[in-house]
Amino acid sequence: CEVGEAVTGLKVETGEWLWTELVKSVTPMCTNVFSGASRWGTGVGGSAGTKNTFYVYCPAGKVAVGLNGRKGGYIDALGLRCQ
């Protein structure tokens, strides 16, 4: 996100590897702290086929202050900590 923006959501795409659904890519939703306008930021991760797409958002008026998730050899769960 740019200066003056905060992360308020995530687009999480998953892929499948050895019959296991794993996080493949993550794209932040960037919200301007002054105007409230939102846009999708630059994503990170792979570009192979997508199994599912999940959207995670902070409640209205809150912004992301951290991430939570679960991993072993790969990331298999991802969420936001909002404040």
Side-chain angles (χ1 to χ4, degrees):
C1 296
E2 303 290 331
V3 173
E5 294 179 324
V7 174
T8 55
L10 295 176
K11 175 181 165 184
V12 180
E13 295 181 305
T14 64
E16 192 168 19
W17 185 72
L18 295 177
W19 307 285
T20 302
E21 192 169 3
L22 305 168
V23 173
K24 179 190 78 158
S25 67
V26 179
T27 304
M29 172 168 277
C30 302
T31 300
N32 185 291
V33 297
F34 303 106
S35 71
S38 295
R39 65 174 184 84
W40 290 109
T42 302
V44 295
S47 59
T50 298
K51 179 177 172 90
N52 287 301
T53 301
F54 300 94
Y55 297 90
V56 181
Y57 299 100
C58 288
K62 299 196 181 284
V63 299
V65 295
L67 297 171
N68 56 43
R70 183 179 59 235
K71 66 138 187 105
Y74 300 94
I75 298 170
D76 55 16
L78 188 64
L80 288 176
R81 292 180 54 217
C82 302
Q83 188 172 6

